[in-house]
Amino acid sequence: QKNSCVLPEDLKNFYLMTDGFQMTWSLKTDDTPMPLGSMVINSVSKLCRLGGSSMYTLPSAPTLADLEDDTDEEGNGDKPEKPHFDSRSLIFELDPCNGNGKVCLVYKHAEPVVSPDTEIWFLDRALYWHFLTKTFTAYYRLLITHLGLPQWQYAFTSYGVSPQAKQWFNMYKPITINTALLYEEADSFVNKLDPNKVFKSKNKTPVLKKKLPSQPPGSQKSHTSMTSAKTSSLAGNSSRK
């Protein structure tokens, strides 16, 4: 009522079940738990509007609306129209992202009457907008799919996640962070081993033993007769002595 807008049906059903959502998980390093994943949906009381008030208490302090640049590229072709910090859009913070940016519920057409159509956008620390999903349900699925890993929203930006966050992705969600490879080559994660080569029995070449040349029977008989003759001559010499 304060902002003259109606929550989208899926988000309203979510808040009817629970007033916000927060889930964190940790990993153990040297028996010490280290917080890693964080999944947050602000409660209704923390669903604050962005761009309407000044960040400082001074009367002439700048607001986010003062940063609005009419020369920004609007939606052309596949690119959706970006939200505005001024009165043309209504922006509400869904997730503070641990200071890495803000996930926002955006009513892009607020003049003259607020349109019920909403989208989910990510506002990075440099105040650039990045489209995430058209519905809250689709965003909620993304949040669960990415396990709330640090900076996971940056996977939907042109510059991607940081090298440190990429290490966590490679450990816990390797296929998610390598989605570009899936589009380039559908079989990039398919086992390409050829079972015929893996389980092929190796034919060992038999070792050929060299056979001694066989002697003819005649030579064997002559060798035997010569041996017996030598034995008899030796016996005769010993008897003479």
Side-chain angles (χ1 to χ4, degrees):
Q1 294 178 355
K2 179 181 178 181
N3 296 284
S4 302
C5 59
V6 179
L7 288 175
E9 194 67 23
D10 53 357
L11 183 56
K12 183 172 71 173
N13 293 334
F14 175 81
Y15 280 126
L16 288 174
M17 290 187 296
T18 176
D19 187 15
F21 169 75
Q22 182 174 4
M23 178 180 177
T24 58
W25 58 276
S26 306
L27 58 89
K28 270 191 175 182
T29 56
D30 297 331
D31 295 332
T32 303
M34 183 184 75
L36 183 62
S38 176
M39 294 174 273
V40 177
I41 301 294
N42 282 341
S43 62
V44 176
S45 60
K46 294 182 179 180
L47 204 62
C48 303
R49 182 182 174 185
L50 298 183
S53 59
S54 173
M55 296 178 290
Y56 307 98
T57 56
L58 298 176
S60 59
T63 64
L64 289 175
D66 296 328
L67 301 176
E68 192 68 37
D69 188 2
D70 292 334
T71 60
D72 287 346
E73 295 181 0
E74 298 296 337
N76 293 322
D78 297 334
K79 294 182 180 180
E81 180 185 354
K82 295 180 180 179
H84 301 279
F85 291 115
D86 55 18
S87 58
R88 287 176 289 178
S89 301
L90 287 179
I91 306 169
F92 299 93
E93 179 184 323
L94 283 176
D95 182 2
C97 303
N98 291 326
N100 293 315
K102 295 179 184 296
V103 174
C104 301
L105 174 71
V106 178
Y107 296 81
K108 288 197 300 185
H109 305 289
E111 292 180 348
V113 181
V114 178
S115 172
D117 298 329
T118 58
E119 294 175 346
I120 308 297
W121 286 71
F122 174 62
L123 180 66
D124 65 16
R125 297 184 64 180
L127 301 181
Y128 286 103
W129 288 106
H130 308 276
F131 176 76
L132 292 179
T133 62
K134 284 187 171 293
T135 63
F136 170 77
T137 302
Y139 168 73
Y140 189 75
R141 290 172 179 168
L142 279 183
L143 177 64
I144 301 299
T145 301
H146 288 82
L147 305 176
L149 288 169
Q151 304 176 18
W152 71 265
Q153 296 89 354
Y154 283 88
F156 295 87
T157 65
S158 58
Y159 31 86
V161 299
S162 66
Q164 182 180 4
K166 189 175 291 187
Q167 292 180 358
W168 296 121
F169 270 89
N170 288 330
M171 183 178 296
Y172 292 102
K173 296 293 291 181
I175 297 181
T176 302
I177 199 61
N178 293 302
T179 50
L181 296 177
L182 291 177
Y183 290 108
E184 293 175 3
E185 185 179 356
D187 298 332
S188 58
F189 290 95
V190 177
N191 191 349
K192 296 183 179 180
L193 291 176
D194 188 357
N196 296 324
K197 294 182 179 180
V198 174
F199 299 102
K200 185 178 180 180
S201 60
K202 295 182 178 179
N203 296 325
K204 296 183 178 180
T205 56
V207 179
L208 298 176
K209 295 182 178 180
K210 294 183 178 180
K211 293 183 178 180
L212 295 175
S214 58
Q215 297 180 354
S219 62
Q220 291 182 359
K221 288 181 180 180
S222 61
H223 179 73
T224 305
S225 60
M226 290 174 64
T227 305
S228 59
K230 288 182 180 180
T231 305
S232 60
S233 63
L234 289 174
N237 294 331
S238 60
S239 62
R240 287 175 185 175
K241 290 180 180 179

